[in-house]
Amino acid sequence: MVAKKNLCVLILAAGKGTRMKSSLPKPLHPVCGVPMIAHSLRAAQALGPGAICVVVGHEAAAVMGSVTENVEKWGITAPVLFAEQKELNGSGGAVRAASEAISRFEQVLVLNGDVPLILPETLENMLTLAADKKAGALVLSMQVANPTGYGRIVRGKEDNFDCIVEEADADAATRRITEVNGGMYVFNSQDLTAALAKLTPQGPKHEFYLTDTLSFIKQAGKPVAVYALPDETEALGVNSRAELAQAEILMQRRINTKLMADGVRLIRPEDTYIEAGVQIGADTTIFPGTYIQGNTTIGANCLIEGGVMIRNCQIADNVIIRMGSYCDDSVVATTCEVGPYARLRPGAELKTKAKVGNFSEVKKSVIGEGSKVNHLTYIGDTDMGAGVNIGAGTITCNYDGQKKHRTVIGDHCFVGSNTNFVAPVEIKPYSKIGAGSTITKDVAENALAIARSRQVVLENKGIKND
């Protein structure tokens, strides 16, 4: 899309969201792992605007703080401004609060901070139609089966826009109209500024209705256009937990459909949770019950079995992650195998062809190329070389009660079952550790270390009594 430096995108995020029944401000509730306002910001960013202005009100500091802290992570490069609506007196009041930002630009696009499904292509189409019609204003409309609660779009001669009638003010004939206001607009900024000055409080709450500006612009002889949205779900506003769940389902369907179009195989897409921004390569197969979250990249031709949780991981090509495994903030190189029922904690790094098997846990450790941690093992704060074999029940004792210490295991070491490494300790390459050993001292290269008492058998000292 061509950058639009004369465009300001206004995102309204000042409302209380009382129906959410939450201490978290409504725009910060996540949909597929990203706050709703981030979805609106990303859609706005795709247009290449001169600025994005977020209108805040309820919990203003929390909303501004979240946006400011995360704009870079969300991929927002346009300047982000804030305007505060000190009195929550309707959508017209919200836009009035941003008058200073509006005055700097020729065109204004108004979005809401609780409409996470809107697509940049739709916003581009709105701007294009407004330009083609030389409109002072444009409103997004949609056809709905049940228009209850929406303002109705009333059309006049030649099917042109006439006005918007709120449901409380509509007569029986108007209420039967199924074309409704989608709550998004394009304005010529000068026309909008003039219309805002004419607003008066309306309704039982004495609010300023932004929809009234359309009538004022029309009365001033400027065209008001209507962009009919083909898919009403794009304009779904989230005002309750039920609507939040619906938005989550629709967004997940969109994400999964795009991944399958790009060559990813989802065995049961409706039972696979993948967050916005996750990248997955072609020919990767993902089984049901999998959760893939955060800043995660998965390469091509991987196999992710059922019941797997992956968060903020970088996974290369040809990796197998077996059922029930949990991977968090980890790096997995090509041709590795994890699980079943393994845990990679933050800081785990698996080199090429490494294996972490069932009921094994790795934390802040490097597992070297071709090394195997097959079962029932804890590896923490460890630097492990290539070609190492770790026997079942091995533990790196990395914490002395006050500090964490590191264990170093060199290339091609063999570690017998039920070994304890009491860090800090270093095992040089090509060494062997006898099963059942507790290693407290460094082991030289190509050595055999056995640290256990000799077996003693005392006859007639068992449990049998004659």
Side-chain angles (χ1 to χ4, degrees):
M1 296 181 183
V2 178
K4 302 169 182 63
K5 297 305 180 183
N6 291 322
L7 171 67
C8 177
V9 179
L10 206 59
I11 299 177
L12 309 185
K16 288 184 176 180
T18 53
R19 283 195 283 159
M20 297 295 290
K21 292 182 169 55
S22 173
S23 60
L24 183 68
K26 183 172 71 168
L28 301 185
H29 280 266
V31 173
C32 289
V34 180
M36 288 193 287
I37 196 168
H39 289 288
S40 296
L41 284 163
R42 285 173 170 175
Q45 173 64 43
L47 302 172
I52 302 171
C53 181
V54 180
V55 181
V56 296
H58 178 67
E59 295 286 352
V63 176
M64 288 191 293
S66 179
V67 171
T68 302
E69 182 180 347
N70 292 291
V71 283
E72 184 176 348
K73 182 175 73 173
W74 294 338
I76 311 303
T77 58
V80 177
L81 316 173
F82 295 97
E84 186 173 359
Q85 184 183 10
K86 295 183 179 180
E87 182 182 356
L88 302 183
N89 54 2
S91 56
V95 175
R96 270 183 164 182
S99 295
E100 183 180 349
I102 291 169
S103 65
R104 304 179 198 174
F105 298 91
E106 295 178 6
Q107 198 172 37
V108 179
L109 172 64
V110 179
L111 305 179
N112 292 301
D114 60 359
V115 186
L117 295 165
I118 194 67
L119 291 171
E121 295 79 5
T122 295
L123 303 181
E124 181 75 21
N125 290 339
M126 291 170 62
L127 293 168
T128 299
L129 181 60
D132 291 344
K133 298 290 187 180
K134 296 182 173 55
L138 175 144
V139 58
L140 178 77
S141 80
M142 53 188 184
Q143 292 285 347
V144 295
N146 180 10
T148 302
Y150 289 99
R152 309 306 202 272
I153 303 286
V154 178
R155 293 180 180 262
K157 295 179 180 180
E158 299 180 354
D159 209 31
N160 290 326
F161 173 86
D162 185 55
C163 63
I164 296 176
V165 179
E166 300 300 331
E167 183 168 275
D169 302 322
D171 58 24
T174 304
R175 290 190 178 202
R176 287 195 291 271
I177 295 173
T178 57
E179 184 180 22
V180 300
N181 178 15
M184 284 168 261
Y185 311 86
V186 177
F187 292 99
N188 173 281
S189 63
Q190 290 185 348
D191 295 331
L192 175 60
T193 299
L196 288 171
K198 298 178 182 179
L199 291 179
T200 56
Q202 302 291 325
K205 296 182 180 180
H206 301 286
E207 295 180 323
F208 294 98
Y209 295 156
L210 184 59
T211 51
D212 288 348
T213 63
L214 304 178
S215 295
F216 294 142
I217 291 170
K218 183 173 180 289
Q219 291 167 12
K222 300 294 182 67
V224 175
V226 179
Y227 177 77
L229 183 64
D231 179 5
E232 65 178 271
T233 61
E234 274 192 60
L236 173 68
V238 174
N239 296 296
S240 66
R241 298 285 186 167
E243 290 172 346
L244 183 67
Q246 185 182 2
E248 186 92 22
I249 291 168
L250 293 170
M251 180 67 78
Q252 189 63 81
R253 187 180 300 161
R254 180 186 293 176
I255 291 169
N256 289 357
T257 298
K258 175 66 165 58
L259 288 169
M260 290 187 288
D262 291 340
V264 178
R265 185 186 181 199
L266 304 181
I267 302 297
R268 286 180 60 86
E270 66 273 23
D271 294 329
T272 305
Y273 178 83
I274 302 173
E275 289 187 346
V278 169
Q279 300 178 32
I280 304 176
D283 292 319
T284 285
T285 298
I286 300 175
F287 278 73
T290 295
Y291 296 80
I292 305 177
Q293 301 177 317
N295 180 29
T296 293
T297 300
I298 299 175
N301 200 38
C302 294
L303 173 63
I304 313 296
E305 293 185 350
V308 167
M309 168 71 82
I310 301 172
R311 181 188 292 119
N312 298 326
C313 290
Q314 309 306 307
I315 298 171
D317 299 342
N318 302 302
V319 169
I320 298 173
I321 301 183
R322 298 206 179 277
M323 181 173 286
S325 296
Y326 192 115
C327 306
D328 191 4
D329 277 298
S330 300
V331 177
V332 181
T334 183
T335 329
C336 288
E337 186 171 338
V338 177
Y341 302 103
R343 184 178 181 191
L344 302 184
R345 289 171 58 189
E349 181 179 357
L350 276 58
K351 299 293 188 180
T352 302
K353 295 184 179 180
K355 181 178 179 181
V356 175
N358 49 288
F359 303 105
S360 293
E361 179 179 344
V362 178
K363 187 270 293 185
K364 283 188 179 178
S365 298
V366 176
I367 307 301
E369 182 175 349
S371 292
K372 297 178 181 179
V373 183
N374 273 322
H375 30 232
L376 302 165
T377 292
Y378 170 70
I379 302 293
D381 298 282
T382 297
D383 297 305
M384 185 183 299
V388 174
N389 187 85
I390 301 292
T394 295
I395 297 174
T396 56
C397 307
N398 54 326
Y399 184 50
D400 65 5
Q402 293 181 334
K403 295 180 180 180
K404 299 288 181 70
H405 301 279
R406 294 197 72 81
T407 296
V408 178
I409 302 174
D411 295 344
H412 306 293
C413 288
F414 182 91
V415 178
S417 297
N418 291 323
T419 292
N420 301 311
F421 291 106
V422 182
V425 67
E426 180 176 1
I427 313 303
K428 295 294 180 67
Y430 296 98
S431 294
K432 290 184 179 180
I433 308 297
S437 295
T438 296
I439 302 299
T440 60
K441 297 179 181 180
D442 293 351
V443 177
E445 183 172 339
N446 199 32
L448 170 62
I450 303 173
R452 60 177 185 245
S453 298
R454 183 181 298 275
Q455 179 173 321
V456 176
V457 178
L458 301 176
E459 296 183 1
N460 298 320
K461 296 294 184 182
I463 61 175
K464 180 179 178 181
N465 295 313
D466 293 329

